[in-house]
Amino acid sequence: MTPLAASQQTEKLCRLAPVIPVLVVHDAAHAKPLAEALVRGGLPVLEVTLRTPAALEVIAEMAQVEGGHVGAGTLLTPDDVSRAIEAGATFGVSPGMTDRLLTAAEEADLPMLPGAATSTEAMALLERGYSVQKFFPAEANGGAPALKAIGAPLPQIMFCPTGGVSLKNAPDYLGLSNTLCVGGSWVAPADKVAAGDWDGIADLAREASQLSR
Ligand code: 3PG
């Protein structure tokens, strides 16, 4: 898959809903009901971070949920790309980028949403053909004003800011012309997941899905 084709696919995914839930799931038994609650609430695109031992099993479970699009986050290595695809992920997300990682994703036909934190990083990704990027860590990096400023000389790059994004500050990003959607963990808080409060999570998803952009 070319970087151009990957960007077209990630753009499509980013346009499906204003928020991509970033999920840290410790128990594979939570995967299906959690994904169902988020999809039911109007957030069909899900990023499962590969940060827990259960993550690959979680992806495999979530991939069976109708209406969902399940990606793997925190992809760092070519091995992560293979494991994510085997589990059933249909896109990948990374906090940054390396040539090895992007080459592996391109060879394996996995659309990537690679991360950039500075203009130079964003330019390097654009030079390679990635016009849709994750802006990470969004809030720590200066938040919406910083992303707006990066967009002035680089209007051809569209972003999914992630990291410190909440219901409260999401509108600041979603109002920018270079933001397609935001990523955030607030729609699946650890306490609600642990308690199996799927209705509560569906409510949070519904609220997030109604953010305008
Ligand atoms: C992460 O690193 O887990 C993601 O960037 C999500 O960050 P958040 O928990 O601040 O939404």
Side-chain angles (χ1 to χ4, degrees), residues 22 51 136 162-165 184-185:
V22 176
R51 283 188 229 158
F136 178 82
T162 305
V165 182
S185 61

Side-chain angles (χ1 to χ4, degrees), residues 109-148:
D109 279 341
L110 185 72
M112 275 297 292
L113 180 64
T118 65
S119 296
T120 299
E121 291 166 7
M123 286 166 63
L125 281 169
L126 183 66
E127 192 169 273
R128 190 170 172 137
Y130 289 89
S131 56
V132 180
Q133 305 175 9
K134 168 172 168 169
F135 178 58
F136 178 82
E139 277 294 290
N141 243 343
L147 186 53
K148 183 179 181 189

